[in-house]
Amino acid sequence: MEKIFERLNESQKSAVLQTEGPVLILAGAGSGKTTTIVSRLAYLIEGVGIPASNTLTLTFTNKAAKEMKERSMAMIENVQYPPLLCTFHKFGLLFLKFNIHLLNRKNNFVVIDTDDKKKILKKINADLPLPLVASEISRYKNSLMSPDDAYKQAEVFHYQQIAEVYKEYEVYLAENNLVDFDDLIALTYKLLDENEELAQKTSQRYQYIMIDEYQDTNELQLKLLQKLCSSHTNICVVGDDDQSIYGWRGAHIRNIMEFDEDFLGAKIFKLEENYRSRSPILKVANALIEHNRSRLGKKLIATRGDGEEVSVLNSNDENEEAKKIAIKVQKLLDSGVRAKEIAILYRVNVLSRSIEEGLNRAGIGYKLVGGLRFYDRAEVKDLISYIRVIANKHDDFSLKRILNKPKRGLGKASLDKIELAAHEKGSSLFAYLENASLAELESLVKKKNAATLKKFITDITTVAKIAEESTYEFIDALEETFALKTIYANTQDAQERIFNMDEFYGLFRDYIKNNPEATLDEFLNELTLQSDQDQVEGESIYMMSIHASKGLEFEHVFVIGMEEGFLPLIGEGSDLEEERRLGYVAFTRAKETLTLSHAASRFYKGRRSDLVKSRFFNEAGLCDGSLIVEKNTAFKKGDLVRHKIFGTGRVTGVSKSGREFKLQINFAGTKRDILASFVERL
């Protein structure tokens, strides 16, 4: 028992000791979330005497599950079988192995991965944009929509086609006894929802349920948890509403915000003591997140004392920014800081390119986490392949990459036939396609595809002539002639891919401006040198997106791209509150120092654009930003208030109404919307 409580503060102890009923543990960044959840599991088994087999602890990654299992087992002495502690999807897999027969399916099913899924979808319909079809089917499953529901809901023909593909896909999976990743949760819920006896039996088995990273759950996972709590209310969730950053992936912040409505009688514990960051870092993080209105409200308290003030790095452009960061990184390394304790974070992956080049020039090794290096990204490699073919028409390797990008109706079989015909004539692919008659090509591919290929060859020749006359104008001719952005227009991450293509176009223009006599070959050679990092050895610093950094911590953190349009990302589909949470996550990765960087201009969408400093500087109390945003109202969800006429009530929601704040208040069962100025807080 001493092992369990020796490292806990008072808030953590209170949360651990509350074993019965619904419990929400609001755990701020660096506040010992994992310590609390593993201690609570150990206490349930070792202290209260709950059989380990009656507990269920779910999280989101195998890495987190493994760490939590090891830490909890170190505190438990006499257990024959370990508790079930795994990811949501692993739980679904285990559950289906025992119960899928109730759906007239065999339990020796095979779980397919994303690549398998795409191959099946391509077989069903190769004409529709594959990434869009895959993501839509995933969305349908997570919304519990059948193929018929999806078809009825489709407002345009394009989505009716996707619904039809979904229907065929489901038939294919059932016939071949396959399940995909989404089925592991969706079919588990379906079984529990359609079989009351099974739901009761499963709930009685798992009497004590704990969920890690609850802010990342989606609607389907919430419904599953409610089924697992059919016979009891012993559910404890741990999470941080201020770190809910996966809305684009289906995570729903309302799950943590309205936990007390989903599970009545919930007790809430706040873990606010931060064991990670120095005081100045927490000061700016607290100030920034305070501007969010959709939050339960807590304030991180520094336990590690004072430290260096947060630095703001001002640069004229991304090249100056990269140079300054490389100098600061080198100073840290020279002072004895280990490379792996330094991280450079960004909101948009396209920003990594200039920093990568700056570190390369300075001879500083780095690792790109959770993403490819800029020049290794598919869309950038496509562009480079086009330029290689225009510079050297007989580059078969590059030509094969682009021959069907954008789509020209060529499948693998057609490409193989063309390659064989070229080989038999002893010529390059380009020379063969250029010299072959239309009739000869029509014997290998469909008639319309033969004509498309001939046009492609003519277009390459035309653009190559433009490149000879003006290297600078060539890049515009390339995009106008081949419309390369359409390759990725319908993908789920289209905006980011087009960002990367525009960044590459801008990079090309900049290189030619600085080297007006340069040829395409010289540009390509420069690229090869810049992206060649085979010699990097030993420890290296980390570069990653803010999303990829969640759950990690570093001694020294640099956040780049602190401009309007990059952080926060602004545009259709963006959510300013989620952007602010991303900023908060980025800031709270830092233990010792935090440097926030912005540039007055960057290559953006293919040309240099003047940028405005992020509003987050202002909101974090560091310096003037682009906008002054009002601070959060003094009222927040959960507050008790008094109204002259309606008496005492509890705030259930806060929204903006002109210059005022409107409160949704529950007065003993009667809900009313009232302006904040008409009530007082108790």
Side-chain angles (χ1 to χ4, degrees), residues 29-49:
S31 64
K33 165 182 76 76
T34 306
T35 298
T36 307
I37 198 168
V38 298
S39 299
R40 190 175 188 275
L41 177 59
Y43 178 67
L44 279 169
I45 297 166
E46 192 82 359
V48 183

Side-chain angles (χ1 to χ4, degrees), residues 447-476:
K447 189 174 181 179
K448 66 172 182 178
N449 297 341
T452 304
L453 276 174
K454 278 292 188 185
K455 182 178 186 308
F456 169 71
I457 294 299
T458 305
D459 288 343
I460 288 283
T461 306
T462 304
V463 175
K465 282 178 184 168
I466 293 170
E468 286 171 16
E469 292 163 13
S470 168
T471 317
Y472 188 79
E473 288 176 15
F474 149 76
I475 205 75
D476 289 322

Side-chain angles (χ1 to χ4, degrees), residues 362-401:
I364 299 170
Y366 64 87
K367 286 178 186 169
L368 206 56
V369 178
L372 294 167
R373 290 183 311 185
F374 181 78
Y375 296 111
D376 288 340
R377 292 178 179 133
E379 60 275 17
V380 175
K381 287 177 96 168
D382 290 342
L383 291 175
I384 292 170
S385 294
Y386 262 94
I387 295 173
R388 280 183 174 149
V389 170
I390 287 159
N392 172 16
K393 294 172 187 172
H394 307 299
D395 179 349
D396 281 3
F397 179 78
S398 298
L399 185 65
K400 278 195 285 184
R401 182 179 179 95

